[in-house]
Amino acid sequence: SERSAVYTKTEGHCAICGKFVPYTEFTVDHIVPLAKGGSNDLSNLQCACGVCNRIKQDILPEELMEKLVEIMLRNRIRSTARY
């Protein structure tokens, strides 16, 4: 099946964070989101853990790093404000 092919491409590892994801728990992520003109072609699909897929949402891969940095900075500001 196409789902198996997506999982096999990364040997069961999240293509975003690299963590192993059991077959029953992985999500299929669109590298270029459908909302940004991506397709359902196997070459545009990757294995992702649920956390990474929720963080990535419908943004392009290059925008993901910006979003992660923003989240980390926001969390750092919150944690330093507590002390």
Side-chain angles (χ1 to χ4, degrees):
S1 76
E2 191 167 56
R3 184 171 169 79
S4 295
V6 171
Y7 189 77
T8 301
K9 280 179 22 175
T10 58
E11 298 178 343
H13 291 84
C14 175
I16 300 168
C17 72
K19 190 170 148 183
F20 178 76
V21 187
Y23 185 84
T24 56
E25 296 176 23
F26 94 96
T27 61
V28 176
D29 175 58
H30 290 85
I31 299 166
V32 176
L34 295 174
K36 304 270 173 121
S39 71
N40 284 315
D41 189 75
L42 183 59
S43 65
N44 189 47
L45 303 176
Q46 63 185 0
C47 173
C49 67
V51 171
C52 286
N53 203 352
R54 282 189 296 280
I55 291 170
K56 182 174 175 278
Q57 297 177 356
D58 65 348
I59 61 176
L60 295 169
E62 54 270 17
E63 296 170 324
L64 178 60
M65 186 56 70
E66 292 173 24
K67 186 171 187 173
L68 292 174
V69 168
E70 180 184 310
I71 290 167
M72 299 219 17
L73 289 174
R74 192 175 19 212
N75 286 337
R76 176 180 257 178
I77 290 168
R78 281 189 202 145
S79 66
T80 56
R82 292 182 198 155
Y83 298 106

